Amino acid sequence: MHLLSRLLLVVAALLLSLTYFFPLWEISLDAPQYPEGLGLEIWINQMQGQNPGDLNKINNLNHYIGMKQIKPESIPELSIMPWIMRGVMIAGLLVAAVGRRMLLMIWLVLFLAVATAGLIDFYLWGYDYGHNLDTHHAIIKVPGMSYQPPLIGSKKLLNFKAISLPGVGGWFAMASFVLGGLVWFYEFSRVRRVVPPKTGPAAGMLACLLLGLAVSCSPSGPSPIRYGSDQCAYCKMTIADEKFGTESITGKGKIYKYDSIECLAADDMKSKQTIGQVHSRWVTDFGHPGTFLEVSVAVVVATEKQKSPMGVGLVAVASQSDAVALIASVGGAVLDWNAVKKLVAETWKLTEKQ
C-alpha cells in the first residue's frame, strides 16, 4: 500500500478512539408536558440521560405503561463494547503497519460485521423494552400498543415523538469506516491503473479481427504464474515465491516465466530474443503478490537485507514512494533496468549473450 494510504488508515483507526469521549447513539423524546425535552444517550460503556435527571424521568414515565426500568449496570453490552472497539482499532493500526490491501479488506469486513451486530443488538434491546410490558401493573393500557423506539428516525409513542439518531461518537465510527473504504478503493484503482486489464478470449479475437487479418495480434499482458509447479525459464527451478515471479513476452506472444528479477535480467542478457523482439517484461509488485508491473513503470530496489529467490536482493514495487518506504525499512537503492542487468552480470559473472 502507498505510504499516504497507510497514514490515512492510521487516522481511520484512531478516529475510533473518539467513541470513548462521545455518545454512540441518542434517543430524544419530545412532548408538550416536557418543553425542555427528554433524552437518552448510549455511550460505548454507559447509558445516561441527555440532561441531569432525564433517566429518572424516563423510568418514571415507563412505570405508567409497564415498561421495565432502564438500569445501565444490568446491560452487559456496556462492559463488552469498549473491548470490541479497542480490538477493531488495534486491528486497523496493524493493517496500516503491514500495508497489505487484502488485510484492509478483511478489516473492513470485520468492522462492518461488528457494526451490524451492534445495531441488531440495539434493535433487540429496544424490542424487549418496548414489547415485554408488565400489563398487570401498568396504569396506561392501550390494547395492541408497543413502545419500541425506532432504530433510526422518528416514531410517535402516545403523545411523545421519539427520535433515534447516531450520536457524535457514532458519526466518528462511520467516518472511520468510510475513510478505510476510500483507502481500499484508492489502492484498488491504483493497482488497476498500473496493470493493464486482461481481455477475455472473445474480446481478444474481436480485436484481432478489427486490426485486420493480415496483421498478427500482439500479446496484451502477462499470464498468471502457477506457483509451485511452473518452472523458471532460466535456472529451471520451480517458481515458488509469489512476491518475485517475473515474465517476458515476445513479439509473437510466447511467454517465458522466471522465479526472480535476476533470472529475468540474466535471460535478457543471454538474449534468447534479440533486441526488438521482446514485447514486454513484467515483474511482481512486492507489496501485492500476484500483481504484475511492466518493467518500464516498476521501481526496482536492490537491497541486501531483503533476500530474493536467487539471492541478489532485487525487489520491485509500484511507485517511488513505495521504494522510499522499502529503502527506509531494509536499505538499498533504486536501479534502472540497465543497472539491474549490470548488477546481475557482476554478481553472477555473466557476459552478454552468455
Side-chain angles (χ1 to χ4, degrees), residues 27 56 60 62 67 70 72-73 77 86 96 103 114 138 160 174 198 205 234 241 279 295 301-302 309 316 320 326 338:
I27 300 176
N56 286 334
N60 286 333
N62 290 345
M67 183 182 288
I70 299 173
E73 63 275 13
E77 290 88 340
R86 198 170 298 149
L103 292 180
V114 168
F160 282 89
M174 284 187 273
K198 296 178 182 178
M205 292 176 63
Y234 182 76
D241 196 327
H279 173 268
V295 165
V301 174
Q320 288 290 343
L326 178 64
N338 287 330

Side-chain angles (χ1 to χ4, degrees), residues 64-85:
Y64 288 100
I65 56 177
M67 183 182 288
K68 291 183 291 188
Q69 283 201 336
I70 299 173
K71 297 179 179 178
E73 63 275 13
S74 67
I75 302 175
E77 290 88 340
L78 296 177
S79 60
I80 297 173
M81 281 197 297
W83 290 99
I84 294 176
M85 191 67 76

Side-chain angles (χ1 to χ4, degrees), residues 18-32:
L18 297 176
T19 60
Y20 289 81
F21 302 100
F22 300 97
L24 293 173
W25 216 268
E26 296 181 356
I27 300 176
S28 300
L29 298 170
D30 295 330

